Amino acid sequence: MKRFLLSVIVLVTGLAQANAQIQREFLGCSLGASPQEVFQVISDKGYNIENTDDGFSAQGMENNPIVFRDCEWEYVFFSFYEDKLFCVMFVMSTDKSPVKTVIDSHKSLMTQFDGEYSQYKEENSTEKISLWNDGNTAVVCKFFYFDDDANEVDHTTDKASLGAMFFDYNVSIRMAEEESEE
């Protein structure tokens, strides 16, 4: 009986992992939420909030950092389309973090995403920019070095940036179609 139960548990766990999808909830906010819902949740967390062209950004403070996937992020951007959250982008750079922290965070995220979303990884992904897409949600992870003028460079410098962007893939397709019609 114990073997049977163990077999069932292993099978169910395997099926759950095979059907795992890319996450759609971040810091207590889900893709598809209204700007008011997201603003309230982020305000309640005590982050410094600023308006942007298509939504708002939140900045962690020294005593209240933005922590997501075991990384401390400088900023998180929330973008909306038709009054629904469609994109969440986390940003870390050497403006506030040591270069080793940015590099280590990139390695950690790549390990996490490759482990959780391996079946969704796009073939044209590289070490510096990788994409996972389950058909509903996509995540892009980008790491790069930059120079004193904030231009991306192909060589190692003491300045680096990391971004992890989760977005509603179907909304991004609609937006691209609308833009091409203009």
Side-chain angles (χ1 to χ4, degrees):
M1 184 66 168
K2 285 183 181 180
R3 266 192 199 162
F4 175 74
L5 285 175
L6 183 59
S7 296
V8 170
I9 291 170
V10 169
L11 178 63
V12 170
T13 303
L15 289 174
Q17 290 175 347
N19 293 323
Q21 294 182 328
I22 296 173
Q23 75 181 87
R24 294 180 63 88
E25 186 172 314
F26 316 91
L27 305 176
C29 305
S30 295
L31 294 180
S34 73
Q36 296 82 7
E37 291 170 318
V38 176
F39 188 87
Q40 186 63 53
V41 169
I42 298 305
S43 293
D44 289 349
K45 292 187 180 299
Y47 300 136
N48 185 23
I49 299 174
E50 293 183 20
N51 289 325
T52 63
D53 290 341
D54 61 352
F56 58 87
S57 67
Q59 180 180 12
M61 269 60 101
E62 189 173 319
N63 62 344
N64 188 19
I66 297 170
V67 178
F68 175 71
R69 289 194 169 256
D70 301 325
C71 299
E72 284 190 23
W73 301 90
E74 291 173 41
Y75 298 96
V76 59
F77 293 89
F78 298 91
S79 299
F80 298 86
Y81 176 76
E82 294 181 349
D83 283 332
K84 292 184 178 173
L85 180 63
F86 90 93
C87 179
V88 178
M89 182 171 63
F90 295 87
V91 177
M92 175 190 305
S93 76
T94 51
D95 289 345
K96 300 217 178 189
S97 300
V99 71
K100 181 177 179 350
T101 300
V102 178
I103 291 168
D104 290 347
S105 295
H106 176 248
K107 288 177 184 175
S108 173
L109 283 177
M110 294 299 291
T111 299
Q112 290 176 48
F113 294 156
D114 281 340
E116 293 173 39
Y117 308 140
S118 61
Q119 71 267 36
Y120 304 123
K121 192 167 188 176
E122 297 287 327
E123 289 180 16
N124 58 352
S125 294
T126 67
E127 190 173 309
K128 289 188 178 183
I129 185 165
S130 296
L131 172 68
W132 297 263
N133 182 354
D134 68 10
N136 292 313
T137 310
V139 59
V140 175
C141 187
K142 182 173 182 178
F143 172 84
F144 62 94
Y145 291 101
F146 58 94
D147 64 18
D148 290 335
D149 297 321
N151 298 310
E152 187 173 339
V153 295
D154 290 332
H155 59 279
T156 303
T157 67
D158 61 349
K159 297 177 181 165
S161 184
L162 171 63
M165 180 173 70
F166 294 80
F167 59 97
D168 186 306
Y169 179 70
N170 297 313
V171 171
S172 70
I173 296 296
R174 270 200 333 259
M175 291 172 66
E177 288 170 352
E178 289 174 6
E179 191 172 297
S180 69
E181 291 174 1
E182 293 177 0

